[in-house]
Amino acid sequence: MKATTALILLTIYLLIHVILGQIGTSPILIYFVFFTSPFLIIWTVLIILKDKRKNYPELSENQEWGYADRDDLTTDP
């Protein structure tokens, strides 16, 4: 699954949780959604971290951290 798809699904799930709480749905359903949300958040984080569709360059010896999306910040000083 793509990282963007996982983020969209998680956002919709969390919005549903807020909406269920606002409209006064059954507390059991709200608790179920609440207690399952940490697992879905962890699942989404793992999908994002494992997403290898874009190859990022390795950092050089003297670099501690670098930006991979801007060329002007990836050059060594």
Side-chain angles (χ1 to χ4, degrees):
M1 178 180 286
K2 292 175 23 175
T4 53
T5 305
L7 283 172
I8 290 170
L9 291 175
L10 179 65
T11 302
I12 291 170
Y13 186 82
L14 294 176
L15 283 173
I16 289 171
H17 175 256
V18 171
I19 292 169
L20 289 176
Q22 293 296 320
I23 64 173
T25 308
S26 167
I28 295 172
L29 181 60
I30 295 171
Y31 290 145
F32 174 76
V33 173
F34 176 76
F35 287 120
T36 57
S37 63
F39 300 108
L40 293 174
I41 292 171
I42 291 170
W43 170 74
T44 305
V45 168
L46 291 175
I47 286 177
I48 292 170
L49 291 175
K50 290 181 179 182
D51 189 13
K52 300 291 185 192
R53 286 182 287 127
K54 184 170 181 176
N55 294 327
Y56 293 104
E58 292 292 325
L59 298 177
S60 61
E61 282 285 326
N62 58 355
Q63 278 185 319
E64 293 180 12
W65 192 78
Y67 291 95
D69 59 344
R70 288 183 50 190
D71 292 333
D72 60 331
L73 297 175
T74 57
T75 57
D76 291 331

